[in-house]
Amino acid sequence: MSLSRALRDSSETLPANTDRFLEHVPNEWLNAAAELSSQVTIRRRRLPSDQVMWLVLGMAFFRNKPIAEVARSLNISADGLANEQMLAKSALTQARQRLGAEPMQCLFQQSGKHWGVERYPQDDWHGLQVFAVDGALFRTPDSTELRSHFGSGNTSTDRQTPFPMLRCVALMNVRSHVIVDACISPYRRGEVPLAMPLIHKLPDHSITLLDKGFYSADLLVSLASSGVDRHWLLPARKGLVSTVVEDYGAGDRLVEMKVSPQARKKNPSLPESWCARAITYEVEGKEKTVFTSLPASVYTAKAIAELYHQRWEIELGFRDIKSSMLDNAIVLRSKTPALVYQELWGLLLAYNLIRREASQAAVEHKRAPQEISFKFACQFIAAELISLSNNPSPGTTGRRLADLRGSLGMLFKENRPRPSRPRSVKLSKTRYPVNRNAAPLK
């Protein structure tokens, strides 16, 4: 029995407050996503599209298992056909190719739309919801097709990184760590163009934290003017030329900056100059300056300086994806561009499922969502998925789902200082081809 079918069959017996996974991935989401597949089929000799979507989700939960083993663990098969026949590697690959990437993207965006803007107790900062935008790179297997499509870290010479890379820019709820939306593209596209569509997904009365790489008059002016009481906060760029318009006090001033001709050429509606509030403060003897659209009449410089350090929460979210879910794997497992996109959308959807369930469990235990250990929550929910999919008795499914959030309450992290770990060094670029079959050095 498939996981989706077990949940559907038991839906009538589930109490409203134990309808866990059904509230996460409603049937209408699955149906709408399946309709996006250009080659959706109902022929019995092929895997139904909803089961293929669960297979892609399973790939995210069980990174170290072969895809065929993932299908066996989740009891995925076509009705009336031998299990082994449908679990052949070629059959699973063909099923994923028929499904395509759009259904998984649709499911992920539905999850972000509904869960990413949810409010939790003590969620707001001075009445504003806190979000963050940042980018991350993912590597793919090295093949001519993938390198041609995604590109890599090329320089002005022939040097390039050993693996093709794709870029993901995400908008994340800082409190729950749920990803509201994301844009995925080949490496050659920059972070600022990918971030532009995301600002329209921000709710009103919010503050968005960004890295200095997102300094763009077009992006920041559009963010602040696209809704009601939407603000931004990011560190100042070094060497930026500005003029002080008004002084609010020590380390707090309003500055004016010119908009570059290149930016105005791309967007003629931009003004010739724009203003931002600049706040300078000291950290361990070093001066730091941040720019923001928050007005001085409402928000103090000290509160804003403290708020910016929460931008690191989105870095922790990317770390959870790469470390806990991908198990520090160097590359994604898919070998064609379409399946790479599909795998990554499935990975983001699985991440949101874990974060949403952890956030809801935290609320029941009157704790903050980020206090639950993501690694252990991921392992726990993965084990529950296997138990549900292999449970022959739908009557016991309700009880197991009812116990899920109560069990997640055991996964809260201890309140201890986070250890200091240096950031990983980027892959070095080389002008020479990399021999994957070379013998290791002795």
Side-chain angles (χ1 to χ4, degrees), residues 335-381:
K335 298 181 180 179
T336 65
L339 295 188
V340 166
Y341 286 115
Q342 181 193 80
E343 179 183 351
L344 191 50
W345 287 122
L347 183 67
L348 296 178
L349 174 59
Y351 170 84
N352 271 2
L353 283 167
I354 299 168
R355 277 298 179 191
R356 176 47 166 32
E357 188 57 48
S359 296
Q360 295 296 307
V363 170
E364 292 190 6
H365 290 269
K366 298 181 180 181
R367 301 282 291 272
Q370 59 266 36
E371 290 185 65
I372 286 186
S373 168
F374 179 87
K375 179 179 180 179
F376 295 133
C378 179
Q379 295 172 346
F380 186 87
I381 292 176

Side-chain angles (χ1 to χ4, degrees), residues 17-327:
N17 62 340
T18 62
D19 193 3
R20 305 309 190 197
F21 291 111
L22 286 177
E23 82 176 23
H24 283 345
V25 188
N27 289 341
E28 57 267 26
W29 291 14
L30 287 170
N31 295 335
E35 291 175 1
L36 292 175
S37 178
S38 59
Q39 301 183 47
V40 170
T41 176
I42 58 174
R43 297 174 63 183
R44 292 171 63 86
R45 69 179 180 85
R46 294 179 176 177
L47 282 175
S49 57
D50 63 336
Q51 293 199 36
V52 183
M53 286 187 259
W54 284 115
L55 171 64
V56 177
L57 269 179
M59 290 169 54
F61 280 105
F62 308 103
R63 177 60 179 83
N64 290 328
K65 288 186 177 183
I67 297 178
E69 184 61 29
V70 174
R72 289 189 183 93
S73 298
L74 296 180
N75 205 10
I76 293 175
S77 64
D79 292 342
L81 293 179
N83 200 32
E84 291 299 325
Q85 178 182 352
M86 298 310 303
L87 295 183
K89 182 178 179 181
S90 58
L92 295 174
T93 300
Q94 292 170 9
R96 291 183 59 203
Q97 290 172 341
R98 289 193 300 269
L99 179 68
E102 287 189 7
M104 299 309 301
Q105 180 181 357
C106 173
L107 280 176
F108 162 73
Q109 290 177 333
Q110 288 278 10
S111 74
K113 177 182 178 181
H114 288 83
W115 308 336
V117 296
E118 289 178 326
R119 293 178 178 268
Y120 293 90
Q122 301 179 344
D123 189 21
D124 294 351
W125 178 84
H126 295 273
L128 302 178
Q129 272 192 289
V130 185
F131 297 88
V133 172
D134 204 358
L137 297 176
F138 293 87
R139 303 164 190 162
T140 74
D142 191 7
S143 69
T144 303
E145 181 182 14
L146 292 176
R147 190 174 288 276
S148 174
H149 180 85
F150 292 111
S152 60
N154 297 328
T155 66
S156 56
T157 67
D158 292 335
R159 294 162 48 185
Q160 56 186 234
T161 52
F163 295 98
M165 294 189 293
L166 65 158
R167 193 184 302 277
C168 174
V169 174
L171 169 64
M172 181 180 290
N173 186 317
V174 168
R175 297 295 187 257
S176 66
H177 285 200
V178 172
I179 298 177
V180 181
D181 201 358
C183 288
I184 303 173
S185 83
Y187 175 82
R188 64 185 69 92
R189 287 199 67 190
E191 290 183 336
V192 173
L194 293 177
M196 287 297 293
L198 300 180
I199 65 176
H200 302 293
K201 305 297 177 67
L202 287 165
D204 294 334
H205 310 290
S206 62
I207 173 72
T208 303
L209 314 179
L210 305 104
D211 187 65
K212 61 183 177 181
F214 292 91
Y215 179 88
S216 164
D218 191 6
L219 175 66
L220 300 177
V221 171
S222 299
L223 190 157
S225 61
S226 60
V228 178
D229 201 23
R230 294 184 186 176
H231 300 281
W232 51 265
L233 174 62
L234 85 171
R237 294 175 58 182
K238 290 183 179 180
L240 184 66
V241 178
S242 61
T243 304
V244 177
V245 177
E246 186 175 355
D247 196 335
Y248 299 126
D252 192 359
R253 59 205 181 276
L254 182 69
V255 298
E256 183 181 39
M257 298 157 289
K258 291 184 178 180
V259 179
S260 68
Q262 295 84 355
R264 297 191 69 233
K265 184 177 180 179
K266 293 180 180 179
N267 184 0
S269 64
L270 287 175
E272 293 185 0
S273 63
W274 63 298
C275 294
R277 184 181 174 191
I279 297 171
T280 301
Y281 59 99
E282 191 174 287
V283 177
E284 297 180 353
K286 297 182 179 179
E287 282 194 348
K288 305 286 185 180
T289 300
V290 293
F291 285 168
T292 183
S293 62
L294 293 167
S297 59
V298 181
Y299 306 95
T300 65
K302 181 181 179 181
I304 293 173
E306 293 174 350
L307 172 65
Y308 178 71
H309 294 281
Q310 295 184 25
R311 193 200 68 82
W312 189 250
E313 296 295 327
I314 191 171
E315 300 277 7
L316 298 179
F318 283 131
R319 184 200 65 180
D320 289 335
I321 293 174
K322 291 186 175 183
S323 178
S324 299
M325 299 189 71
L326 290 178
D327 201 24

